[in-house]
Amino acid sequence: MKYSDEIIQRVKDATDIVSVIGEYVPLKKAGNSYKGLCPFHSEKSPSFNVSPTRNGFHCFGCGKGGNVITFVMEIEKMPFPEALKLLAEKAGIVLPKPQEDKKDLEAERVRDRLQALNEFAGKFFHEKLLSTEGQAARDYFKKRGFTKEDALKYLVGYAPAGWDSFKNAGQKAGFTPSELLSGGLIVHNDEKNSDYDKFRNRLMFPVKDNYGRIVAFGGRMLGEDAGPKYLNSPETILFKKSECLYLLEAAREAIRQKGFVLVVEGYFDALALHHFGFENAVATLGTALTSQHGRLLKRYTTEVVFSYDADAAGQAAILRGFEPLVVAGLNIRVLVMPDTKDPDEYLTKHSKEEFEGLLKQAPGFFRWWAQSLKKKFQGSPVEERTRALQGFVPMILQIPDEVSVQAACAAIESELGLDNRDLLTIVNTERKKGTRRSFAEREETPVAKEAAAIPAQKGSDKFDRQIEADFLALLTEERGEFVPWAVNELSPEVFQSENFRQLFEELSSGDLKPEQLNQVPELEASFIRIENQSEKKHREAMLNDLATSLKKRYFKRQLAELKDRQTEAEKAGNTEQALQFAQQMIVLKRQYSQEVESK
């Protein structure tokens, strides 16, 4: 689905990029631009820049950049038309009918139909809960301590026990079997060549995206039928388990206000916390926490409090969840419930105030972990307790900042009755080895899998392009005053990028005006980078430094090429040619010394 360039530009011009991005990232003024911590990767020092004058953003850490529309697309995982519509609504602009593109229109139609199906299903299940058919489900919900108001507020529903209740209702409403299958709401039986409802005789929990749209469902078994106690929707074009958390859309404001998020394991735990006023709670959807979850939560807070089941499985889940959250730059605490299994059970036995007390006392992750191992090492010799420290090292090596590392080491040694900073010494020794082992050495986590999937890149290539882009971007300053000097100082051959080399050639010949470089997308990050070099002398100094770097690289490439040719000539027994290459290298080194090292 396409919109004209004119309307797209109109939406961009009417949108305050600082205001929009500021809803997701705390920004601080820095010269002519704004800086903050990047929402797309974990970092402790801000490298994320937003330029209101250029109406763009760029992160110098991970390389992501673009305009306000691409930001919304990336942060909200939205297709272009939806992001444009969202920003147009905020700006009070009515979008005209888009230019038709059959492929885009079909993709949009499929998404719209699936969204309509989910909304229909949510309403269907909810109405069934409130009907006479849902009496047993309502009784169970009430027995768990919830009210009708909870069911209404969170659109809790009931999937009837029959094999085709929803299928029949969906088809009657105009949805095709193919659509019902793609939405994961019915299942096909190959042997009988028939379709049947995926959710049967279950209490239903709708899962929503950040805009309150239903994207999936979770169902809790009510009877004694065969099957899992909890059943979740399969992944679809609208739903990815690794990117969704139950009740996040309802918890966002409370998370921001309270300064932390409570992460629990189940639908009932999250609902119970919301019921008792702890509306900053969210739940995972039957899957381990991922790096996407970490980045998602980092939009709203810097602290996570785990409130998982107190059994061994719950503790193991907390250990698995540590890495993706700490890598995202989140602080982690663990709520310890002394006499119950989970938050839902605790709140039925204790008061809200007692739960708040536990929250305030919730220890940091490493203190909690050391406390859980304390009994094992009680009465053990100091040597044995010291050896136990080695087990903490792989996870401590994941912590990005030094202060947190020291705090973690101190907490662990304190809990184990050690006070000699042995753990910090071990960690520093591992760092010197270049070790940054993952706790997932025994079990690969989503973070490790993602890292392994990223193709290796030459760091110098990225740096080389940055130097060339910065140099060209500077040539637009002072109304192109620097161009004659640059053309006299450098030849196009110093540019490794074919595109940048061509741009410099066109500048040299006068076929390209300096101001036209403003329209080159590859230079956008450079324009934001140099935006705060407000004084001419600073820009001149920067230009000189970049020109020197370009020359150095060019001379080194030439020397390397001559060295390779000399080696090949020697291998071929061509002594005379090898000597010629050696002489050329001497001349080139002398030239390098005169033109570069003397400056």
Side-chain angles (χ1 to χ4, degrees):
M1 189 168 288
K2 295 181 179 179
Y3 291 89
S4 68
D5 292 342
E6 183 182 353
I7 193 64
I8 294 170
Q9 191 60 48
R10 188 178 160 206
V11 171
K12 288 181 188 175
D13 292 342
T15 302
D16 179 3
I17 190 170
V18 175
S19 176
V20 170
I21 294 181
E23 293 178 14
Y24 302 88
V25 182
L27 297 172
K28 289 185 178 180
K29 193 89 163 64
N32 297 323
S33 58
Y34 291 78
K35 295 186 78 173
L37 295 174
C38 180
F40 304 118
H41 82 289
S42 175
E43 61 177 7
K44 288 293 180 181
S45 300
S47 58
F48 183 81
N49 283 252
V50 180
S51 170
T53 56
R54 301 197 65 81
N55 207 12
F57 74 93
H58 188 81
C59 175
F60 298 107
C62 68
K64 285 194 184 294
N67 56 50
V68 68
I69 300 175
T70 52
F71 177 84
V72 172
M73 289 170 65
E74 185 71 32
I75 200 82
E76 295 292 359
K77 304 300 179 188
M78 278 185 169
F80 179 84
E82 283 193 40
L84 186 69
K85 286 177 188 175
L86 178 69
L87 293 172
E89 286 172 9
K90 285 189 174 188
I93 296 173
V94 178
L95 293 177
K97 186 177 179 181
Q99 299 168 13
E100 292 189 355
D101 180 286
K102 288 184 179 180
K103 187 178 178 181
D104 290 340
L105 280 173
E106 178 58 19
E108 179 102 350
R109 188 195 69 79
V110 170
R111 289 181 68 90
D112 288 346
R113 287 292 291 173
L114 184 52
Q115 189 62 65
L117 173 60
N118 284 336
E119 300 299 335
F120 169 79
K123 185 179 179 182
F124 172 85
F125 294 136
H126 186 61
E127 288 177 349
K128 287 295 180 183
L129 178 70
L130 302 179
S131 71
T132 54
E133 200 173 354
Q135 184 63 55
R138 292 200 303 276
D139 290 343
Y140 177 79
F141 194 60
K142 183 178 180 180
K143 183 182 175 182
R144 293 294 298 257
F146 298 101
T147 64
K148 182 179 180 180
E149 287 69 30
D150 291 323
L152 294 172
K153 183 176 181 180
Y154 299 106
L155 205 69
V156 178
Y158 169 64
W163 287 86
D164 54 9
S165 296
F166 179 75
K167 184 186 81 168
N168 292 338
Q171 289 181 328
K172 188 176 179 180
F175 295 101
T176 66
S178 176
E179 288 173 332
L180 295 171
L181 284 165
S182 66
L185 287 158
I186 67 171
V187 178
H188 183 72
N189 185 314
D190 290 329
E191 290 183 8
K192 297 181 179 180
N193 193 29
S194 62
D195 301 327
Y196 59 91
D197 291 351
K198 180 179 179 69
F199 299 101
R200 303 180 307 281
N201 196 28
R202 290 179 180 271
L203 198 65
M204 299 296 290
F205 306 95
V207 178
K208 299 181 179 181
D209 65 12
N210 280 358
Y211 294 94
R213 299 172 299 195
I214 299 174
V215 294
F217 294 91
R220 203 282 184 193
M221 182 189 291
L222 292 175
E224 299 299 324
D225 300 336
K229 182 188 289 187
Y230 284 95
L231 188 63
N232 293 312
S233 292
E235 294 198 341
T236 68
I237 57 173
L238 298 180
F239 173 58
K240 299 288 183 291
K241 287 182 184 180
S242 63
E243 297 173 2
C244 286
L245 291 163
Y246 180 58
L247 292 187
L248 179 59
E249 87 290 343
R252 287 182 302 176
E253 286 310 308
I255 292 170
R256 285 191 177 112
Q257 290 172 13
K258 295 189 178 183
F260 68 96
V261 58
L262 264 164
V263 177
V264 297
E265 286 186 283
Y267 297 103
F268 275 119
D269 285 338
L271 279 176
L273 287 166
H274 279 248
H275 174 81
F276 283 96
F278 301 97
E279 295 186 338
N280 56 329
V282 301
T284 52
L285 300 171
T287 185
L289 283 165
T290 66
S291 56
Q292 292 99 315
H293 287 137
R295 289 193 292 270
L296 184 63
L297 292 173
K298 187 65 186 294
R299 295 184 199 170
Y300 311 110
T301 186
T302 57
E303 184 170 78
V304 171
V305 177
F306 277 115
S307 187
Y308 278 13
D309 290 0
D311 57 16
Q315 291 200 354
I318 292 173
L319 293 175
R320 285 196 303 271
F322 167 82
E323 184 178 337
L325 296 187
V326 80
V327 168
L330 291 158
N331 298 319
I332 303 167
R333 293 192 293 134
V334 181
L335 188 146
V336 180
M337 291 167 289
D339 60 348
T340 52
K341 188 182 78 168
D342 54 41
D344 182 22
E345 184 181 332
Y346 186 91
L347 286 165
T348 60
K349 294 182 178 180
H350 300 272
S351 68
K352 175 182 175 181
E353 289 71 27
E354 286 176 290
F355 189 82
E356 285 178 336
L358 289 181
L359 264 177
K360 290 177 183 177
Q361 297 167 17
F365 174 83
F366 284 102
R367 186 172 292 279
W368 161 79
W369 192 13
Q371 286 173 351
S372 68
L373 297 174
K374 200 171 183 177
K375 289 182 182 178
K376 180 181 177 182
F377 293 101
Q378 245 174 1
S380 300
V382 172
E383 293 79 9
E384 189 175 332
R385 281 177 280 155
T386 302
R387 282 197 298 273
L389 297 177
Q390 192 71 47
F392 294 94
V393 175
M395 295 183 83
I396 294 175
L397 289 171
Q398 304 305 309
I399 303 175
D401 66 288
E402 183 62 31
V403 174
S404 297
V405 167
Q406 292 183 15
C409 292
I412 292 166
E413 291 186 329
S414 170
E415 290 298 329
L416 294 182
L418 301 168
D419 191 24
N420 50 13
R421 296 177 67 82
D422 279 351
L423 182 53
L424 187 59
T425 302
I426 296 170
V427 170
N428 287 334
T429 301
E430 292 297 310
R431 280 173 167 171
K432 287 176 183 176
K433 293 178 185 177
T435 306
R436 189 170 177 78
R437 291 178 297 168
S438 166
F439 182 67
E441 285 174 322
R442 295 182 296 280
E443 180 180 352
E444 192 177 17
T445 65
V447 172
K449 288 177 182 176
E450 283 182 14
I454 298 172
Q457 291 183 342
K458 294 179 181 178
S460 60
D461 290 350
K462 183 178 178 182
F463 183 64
D464 286 344
R465 285 187 65 82
Q466 179 180 310
I467 291 174
E468 294 177 5
D470 286 356
F471 186 84
L472 289 172
L474 275 166
L475 297 184
T476 65
E477 301 299 320
E478 304 298 324
R479 298 184 179 181
E481 188 180 312
F482 298 140
V483 172
W485 172 86
V487 170
N488 183 61
E489 189 76 9
L490 301 176
S491 65
E493 286 74 25
V494 302
F495 292 89
Q496 282 185 264
S497 163
E498 186 177 341
N499 186 30
F500 292 160
R501 183 165 57 249
Q502 185 177 344
L503 288 172
F504 190 73
E505 286 175 347
E506 290 176 5
L507 276 174
S508 303
S509 64
D511 293 336
L512 183 73
K513 295 180 180 179
E515 59 268 24
Q516 289 177 281
L517 290 173
N518 278 290
Q519 308 304 317
V520 179
E522 291 173 284
L523 302 182
E524 187 64 32
S526 295
F527 286 124
I528 294 175
R529 185 183 291 108
I530 67 174
E531 192 169 34
N532 294 321
Q533 301 292 332
S534 53
E535 293 187 30
K536 183 178 178 181
K537 62 180 182 180
H538 292 155
R539 290 172 174 167
E540 287 178 340
M542 189 175 178
L543 201 63
N544 265 299
D545 290 342
L546 290 172
T548 301
S549 295
L550 289 169
K551 286 180 182 178
K552 282 182 178 179
R553 291 182 323 144
Y554 181 55
F555 276 119
K556 287 178 180 178
R557 288 201 306 273
Q558 287 182 302
L559 283 169
E561 187 177 338
L562 286 170
K563 181 64 178 174
D564 288 343
R565 289 183 179 181
Q566 181 193 24
T567 302
E568 288 175 8
E570 287 173 348
K571 286 180 180 179
N574 195 334
T575 308
E576 186 178 345
Q577 191 177 49
L579 183 60
Q580 289 176 355
F581 287 136
Q583 290 172 337
Q584 289 177 34
M585 288 168 66
I586 292 170
V587 172
L588 191 60
K589 286 178 181 178
R590 189 180 299 121
Q591 186 182 353
Y592 174 83
S593 176
Q594 292 172 349
E595 292 191 26
V596 178
E597 292 187 345
S598 61
K599 293 192 175 183

